[in-house]
Amino acid sequence: MAASVENTFVREIETNKTDILKIHQLEVGDVGCVVWDAALVLSKYLETSDFDNGGLLKGKKILELGSGTGCVGIVAAYLG
């Protein structure tokens, strides 16, 4: 059964550029429907000076595996 917006809530990811990325997460479930806390941490790490504030991602191909709703991949695409 496909999920509908009625049984989701929004996880907001604030970027250093003051934009807010919104991802709908299911109220019940785990794999493939949750924005994991570790994904939020890694997403924020991609915006640090270690990654030239996301600049090192420009022009790169990123493969994301096992990050729930794909939050890290979405943020990587947003940054570069």
Side-chain angles (χ1 to χ4, degrees):
M1 173 202 253
S4 66
V5 175
E6 289 80 34
N7 59 348
T8 66
F9 64 95
V10 177
R11 292 290 299 259
E12 295 185 348
I13 298 109
E14 295 181 28
T15 69
N16 288 349
K17 298 177 183 178
T18 67
D19 292 324
I20 297 176
L21 305 176
K22 296 180 180 182
I23 299 176
H24 286 266
Q25 173 176 309
L26 288 177
E27 293 173 349
V28 178
D30 54 11
V31 178
C33 59
V34 173
V35 178
W36 299 106
D37 292 339
L40 296 174
V41 171
L42 180 54
S43 295
K44 293 306 292 179
Y45 181 59
L46 294 177
E47 292 188 292
T48 66
S49 59
D50 288 349
F51 282 89
D52 187 27
N53 301 315
L56 290 179
L57 300 175
K58 292 194 185 307
K60 301 287 192 285
K61 293 182 181 180
I62 307 279
L63 173 64
E64 175 190 23
L65 299 173
S67 187
T69 57
C71 173
V72 176
I74 292 168
V75 170
Y78 168 80
L79 292 172

